Amino acid sequence: MRILLTTLVLFSAVLCASAQKRPLRPGDLYRQQSTGGGQISPDGNWMLYTLTTTDSAKDRRNTDIWMMRWNGTDNIQLTSSPDGENNPKWSPDNKYISFTTSRNLSGSQVFLLNRLGGEAIKLTDVKGDLNDYEWSPDGKKLLLTIKDYEDTAKKKGAKPWVLNKYNFKRDVSGYQYDTRKTHLYLFDVTTKKLDTLTKGEYNENDGQWSPDGNSIAFVSNHTEDPDKNSNSDIFIIDAKPGAVAKQFTTWAGRDGSPQWSPDGKTIAYTRSTSAENFIMYDQAILCVQPVSGGEVKLLSKSLDRPISSAKWNKDGKSIAALVSDDCERYVVNYDVASGKMTKVIGGNRVFGSLELHPSGNWLTTMSDPTLPYEFYALENGSLRRLTKVQDSFVANLSLARVEKVVSKSKDGNTVSSLLYLPEGSTGKNLPVIFYIHGGPVAQDEFSFDLTRQMFAAKGYAVVGVNYRGSNGRGIDYSKAIYADWGNKEVLDIHGAVDHLVSKGVIDQNRMAISGWSYGGILTDYCIASDTRFKAAVSGAGSALQLSLYGVDMYILQLDNEMGQPWKDNNYEKYLKMSYPFLHADRIKTPTLFMTGEKDFNVPAVGSEQMYQALRSIGTPTELIVYPGQFHGISLPAYQRDRFERYLAWFDKYLK
């Protein structure tokens, strides 16, 4: 009996130990998986999705395709190739699953997999870069989006890159010397014949079949010089070789994301609020327009919030969509005839996609501050969880609780922020990291954020400030920083600091600030205007904005927002916005600068200049350059390294 009792006590102790939760660690990024895709079978019984995992030994990610019953009972892995598979779709007859993969080929191709099992077979053998594909409604053809083929075998040695474009560089793709265009093609599934649908000097994308399969809507910019504006329009073309495309929309701004109504008589789409050449501080409006022509109905104009993922309901009388609104993203339904909007489901969480089920219900994704995105069935306004991919990741982690905080800036502006409080903390007198989002037209939302949770796991309060320039608060809120960087946003961040200090939540003697991209730019602005921060980490930022003219990829923005430096008083604008560098001697905050070697978005020179300035004046600083990386650090080992350097820097100066 004594032996039995001892065994039970030991067993109970083991269970208690295994049930104990621990803080998040940088190495946990290897455990986190991510879901994507999401398409429902024509019979409504199954859904396809992708699952991306990380191999720490090979330092790479791989994406496979899974299939789950709509009732959530069966979950089956369909592919396991080390090359990865993407963009899974059902054939209209419900018999096959298609996807794209390279599988030791020179480029990506469409493969077919019988849903009953067996090996996948290669369906297409196209030259050029295959960017996208769509099944025709009858399943007999594929609409392929292909970038022109270039025979590199005939090239003799490396030649100079000849650049003649106005916007001559892009992040990831680099210098824009490639003159190839992207066009639409029709591929016969039986004969494998490939016919050209569009050609010429313009790029086409986002092709969508009409319900009867006779027409295709697509998006393109047919202005005289597409490189010098943000325009895009929707065109319609007959689904047959030799057809001539007709322009459907004429808005001088941006039109996109076309969706045919079930009867094929109307197209829903989104358009920008601005008709200017340059569109940055903007938000999408949901529109509908008869295919035969006629008045455009701007369904969401009065809402003054960004719309995304618009999809027609089964009856063709209403449209479901996502709305970004002050830290949330919720599902709405628009009645097309009356224009009335009804909120379907929301709360302190974020919905990420919508896919119509044959029953009229929806497949959606959702995330909240303690759970990364999972798939859910949205049925009559209620959620039913489908995937449970993230359960093993979060099960043993003690995650921060997140709450919304509202503060007032010095000039009276009201600002919403998200406050992350470490698990088990009292919420009083905490060391804090203000981690500022990029964009700037974006927002911190009630979704899972690995970076902020990682900081909170080390005992820091973490604050995300939705400063002016962010979206989710209306078009005027986004446009408030136009040609005036580093002013109102800094007032908003300082206002959030003052508010949390006055409430006793954070310790004003242990404060740090950080961010990436525009968040890095704002980090530079904040440390140049306030010495209260004891540490800073500026990622992919810039400060001497004049020197970025012709160096980064934002020439359209700079010419239109700030103007050409040699005209009028524009030079003074650039100098005003360059105060962190021009007054670097005021900066006393120890600052770590990080950048990707090949970043053409906010080039490494922006971080290098600030590092050199602080190094010259003696303010503690370091510069980290990640080899071969672009604006987004994608290599898992570098992502882990970045977390470790963040935490080591903050710990050094705040603890």
Side-chain angles (χ1 to χ4, degrees):
M1 180 64 72
R2 184 178 299 168
I3 294 174
L4 177 60
L5 288 174
T6 303
T7 303
L8 288 173
V9 169
L10 290 173
F11 182 68
S12 298
V14 170
L15 285 178
C16 290
S18 64
Q20 289 179 350
K21 295 192 174 185
R22 62 169 179 82
L24 192 65
R25 298 189 289 254
D28 285 322
L29 72 86
Y30 293 116
R31 297 195 307 113
Q32 187 181 2
Q33 304 175 92
S34 60
T35 55
Q39 194 184 55
I40 301 165
S41 61
D43 63 10
N45 292 329
W46 295 85
M47 60 163 278
L48 288 172
Y49 68 98
T50 59
L51 184 64
T52 301
T53 56
T54 303
D55 187 326
S56 59
K58 296 180 179 179
D59 198 21
R60 64 187 295 267
R61 292 184 173 86
N62 187 62
T63 301
D64 293 307
I65 299 171
W66 289 67
M67 181 172 72
M68 172 177 271
R69 282 193 187 275
W70 182 245
N71 63 15
T73 56
D74 295 320
N75 194 26
I76 304 167
Q77 183 172 352
L78 298 178
T79 66
S80 58
S81 164
D83 297 296
E85 295 80 26
N86 290 282
N87 209 0
K89 302 177 188 289
W90 295 93
S91 63
D93 62 7
N94 213 64
K95 293 181 179 179
Y96 295 96
I97 293 162
S98 58
F99 56 86
T100 56
T101 183
S102 59
R103 293 203 173 177
N104 298 318
L105 302 169
S106 58
S108 183
Q109 300 290 342
V110 179
F111 279 67
L112 275 188
L113 178 65
N114 192 309
R115 62 172 297 179
L116 297 179
E119 289 292 327
I121 59 172
K122 183 165 67 69
L123 179 62
T124 65
D125 188 19
V126 300
K127 293 182 178 181
D129 299 335
L130 178 63
N131 294 338
D132 199 5
Y133 74 100
E134 292 287 340
W135 284 93
S136 64
D138 61 9
K140 295 180 179 180
K141 293 183 178 181
L142 295 178
L143 174 65
L144 304 181
T145 305
I146 306 173
K147 188 174 184 179
D148 294 339
Y149 173 68
E150 180 183 34
D151 188 358
T152 56
K154 294 182 179 179
K155 287 190 172 182
K156 296 181 180 180
K159 294 183 178 181
W161 298 332
V162 179
L163 303 168
N164 53 28
K165 299 184 71 175
Y166 169 70
N167 197 336
F168 69 94
K169 61 197 306 187
R170 291 278 182 184
D171 195 34
V172 182
S173 60
Y175 287 103
Q176 301 297 290
Y177 58 89
D178 188 350
T179 59
R180 293 181 297 161
K181 303 299 180 183
T182 299
H183 298 301
L184 304 179
Y185 296 80
L186 295 174
F187 178 83
D188 190 291
V189 175
T190 302
T191 66
K192 297 190 176 182
K193 181 184 178 184
L194 185 69
D195 288 315
T196 301
L197 186 62
T198 65
K199 56 186 178 180
E201 294 302 311
Y202 303 108
N203 294 304
E204 293 91 23
N205 58 76
D206 204 6
Q208 302 290 323
W209 291 90
S210 62
D212 61 10
N214 292 330
S215 303
I216 291 166
F218 64 89
V219 178
S220 186
N221 183 341
H222 282 200
T223 59
E224 184 177 351
D225 189 351
D227 211 29
K228 285 193 172 183
N229 60 70
S230 299
N231 171 263
S232 63
D233 282 299
I234 297 170
F235 294 76
I236 298 177
I237 189 170
D238 290 340
K240 58 184 181 183
V244 178
K246 297 178 181 179
Q247 188 167 341
F248 176 66
T249 62
T250 57
W251 180 242
R254 184 182 294 136
D255 299 304
S257 304
Q259 294 289 320
W260 295 84
S261 62
D263 62 7
K265 294 181 179 180
T266 307
I267 290 180
Y269 61 96
T270 57
R271 88 174 198 187
S272 61
T273 63
S274 173
E276 300 298 321
N277 284 338
F278 161 68
I279 300 172
M280 169 66 83
Y281 311 99
D282 208 281
Q283 57 193 27
I285 301 172
L286 176 60
C287 307
V288 290
Q289 184 174 344
V291 173
S292 59
E295 183 182 356
V296 180
K297 184 179 289 188
L298 308 180
L299 292 177
S300 69
K301 185 177 182 180
S302 62
L303 178 65
D304 195 24
R305 293 292 186 272
I307 290 282
S308 61
S309 301
K311 297 289 177 65
W312 287 89
N313 279 280
K314 185 179 181 180
D315 60 9
K317 296 179 180 179
S318 58
I319 300 170
L322 303 178
V323 174
S324 297
D325 182 16
D326 200 11
C327 302
E328 300 178 19
R329 204 181 319 152
Y330 51 79
V331 182
V332 299
N333 195 61
Y334 270 97
D335 181 85
V336 174
S338 67
K340 180 182 178 182
M341 186 195 85
T342 304
K343 188 172 182 179
V344 178
I345 191 169
N348 288 346
R349 49 192 174 179
V350 169
F351 291 87
S353 65
L354 288 171
E355 186 73 23
L356 183 64
H357 189 274
S359 66
N361 291 311
W362 296 93
L363 173 67
T364 187
T365 55
M366 189 271 287
S367 172
D368 63 38
T370 59
L371 185 69
Y373 280 104
E374 294 275 20
F375 282 100
Y376 294 79
L378 178 55
E379 299 164 322
N380 300 316
S382 298
L383 287 179
R384 175 171 58 86
R385 187 172 171 184
L386 293 171
T387 58
K388 297 183 179 179
V389 170
Q390 310 295 352
D391 283 0
S392 60
F393 173 67
V394 301
N396 65 334
L397 297 177
S398 55
L399 296 171
R401 65 185 188 274
V402 181
E403 57 188 56
K404 185 176 178 180
V405 175
V406 178
S407 59
K408 284 276 188 181
S409 303
K410 187 177 181 180
D411 60 359
N413 183 54
T414 302
V415 179
S416 297
S417 301
L418 291 183
L419 170 64
Y420 289 68
L421 293 171
E423 175 69 20
S425 73
T426 61
K428 298 292 182 183
N429 205 37
L430 295 168
V432 63
I433 300 167
F434 284 81
Y435 192 77
I436 311 302
H437 73 71
V441 186
Q443 70 165 348
D444 285 315
E445 303 174 311
F446 281 104
S447 61
F448 185 82
D449 189 300
L450 185 64
T451 299
R452 291 179 174 85
Q453 286 285 1
M454 192 74 71
F455 294 164
K458 288 283 285 185
Y460 294 103
V462 186
V463 184
V465 183
N466 284 324
Y467 51 86
R468 274 169 283 188
S470 306
N471 64 12
R473 293 284 300 278
I475 192 68
D476 290 340
Y477 195 87
S478 292
K479 289 182 176 179
I481 66 170
Y482 189 91
D484 187 24
W485 302 359
N487 179 15
K488 296 182 178 69
E489 319 99 295
V490 175
L491 291 179
D492 293 343
I493 294 169
H494 285 173
V497 171
D498 294 338
H499 175 78
L500 291 169
V501 168
S502 69
K503 295 295 183 182
V505 177
I506 61 176
D507 183 349
Q508 63 181 336
N509 296 313
R510 294 186 294 164
M511 299 193 304
I513 188 166
S514 181
W516 198 267
S517 193
Y518 200 77
I521 292 172
L522 285 182
T523 297
D524 293 347
Y525 281 127
C526 285
I527 60 175
S529 57
D530 194 330
T531 59
R532 290 187 294 177
F533 295 106
K534 305 304 179 185
V537 180
S538 174
S542 66
L544 184 54
Q545 311 306 352
L546 178 62
S547 70
L548 271 292
Y549 187 95
V551 177
D552 65 17
M553 60 183 240
Y554 292 107
I555 187 61
L556 188 62
Q557 177 179 8
L558 295 176
D559 270 356
N560 285 273
E561 184 176 347
M562 268 66 75
Q564 296 166 331
W566 51 87
K567 281 190 175 182
D568 304 320
N569 295 319
N570 297 336
Y571 181 72
E572 299 298 328
K573 292 182 187 177
Y574 285 93
L575 292 184
K576 180 182 178 182
M577 295 191 306
S578 299
Y579 70 79
F581 182 84
L582 298 178
H583 297 289
D585 55 322
R586 300 175 184 175
I587 299 176
K588 308 302 179 186
T589 303
T591 305
L592 174 67
F593 296 94
M594 294 183 176
T595 185
E597 177 201 11
K598 296 184 177 181
D599 189 343
F600 272 5
N601 188 312
V602 184
V605 65
S607 298
E608 293 168 352
Q609 289 170 334
M610 284 300 291
Y611 162 74
Q612 190 68 77
L614 297 198
R615 190 72 181 82
S616 295
I617 64 176
T619 298
T621 185
E622 285 184 9
L623 174 66
I624 309 299
V625 180
Y626 289 103
Q629 297 297 285
F630 304 109
H631 190 60
I633 306 301
S634 59
L635 200 67
Y638 286 162
Q639 291 176 339
R640 176 175 181 168
D641 179 87
R642 181 170 56 174
F643 277 136
E644 291 171 343
R645 292 184 187 278
Y646 271 132
L647 295 170
W649 193 263
F650 294 141
D651 287 353
K652 180 178 180 179
Y653 292 101
L654 269 65
K655 290 187 176 181

